[in-house]
């Protein structure tokens, strides 16, 4: 049982990141495709989430020019 729980944690990866309000892909892919950036390029995006926290998301441009959300993290203000 412990092994199955450990393996299930390994398989979730970035597939489990769902867009939230403020995400570029919230509500679907953006209507305009990024035509100048090559596939595989990384696109960072910072915004305030619905709870009022600053977050940063990282997207990777796919071969079909869609965006794949691969990471989300809280942005910590070091000035505090």
């Amino acid at each position: 049982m412990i092994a199955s729980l450990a393996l299930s944690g390994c398989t979730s990866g970035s597939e489990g990141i769902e867009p939230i309000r403020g995400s570029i892909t919230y509500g679907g892919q953006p209507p305009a495709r990024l035509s100048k950036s090559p596939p595989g390029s990384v696109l960072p995006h910072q915004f305030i989430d619905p709870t009022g926290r600053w977050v940063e998301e990282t997207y990777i441009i796919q071969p079909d020019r869609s965006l794949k959300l691969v990471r989300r993290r809280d942005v910590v203000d070091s000035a505090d």
Side-chain angles (χ1 to χ4, degrees):
M1 184 171 171
I2 294 172
S4 65
L5 289 175
L7 288 176
S8 68
C10 294
T11 59
S12 63
S14 63
E15 292 84 2
I17 302 175
E18 292 293 325
I20 59 174
R21 193 174 334 150
S23 298
I24 295 173
T25 56
Y26 182 74
Q29 290 290 322
R33 300 284 186 193
L34 298 170
S35 59
K36 294 185 179 181
S37 299
S41 296
V42 175
L43 177 70
H45 174 61
Q46 288 189 358
F47 61 97
I48 298 174
D49 75 2
T51 65
R53 296 179 307 187
W54 275 101
V55 295
E56 180 180 68
E57 292 182 334
T58 303
Y59 294 86
I60 295 179
I61 300 174
Q62 301 299 291
D64 66 355
R65 300 295 185 188
S66 65
L67 296 175
K68 179 179 180 182
L69 177 56
V70 295
R71 180 176 177 216
R72 179 182 298 125
R73 69 177 186 94
D74 289 340
V75 176
V76 178
D77 186 4
S78 60
D80 288 343

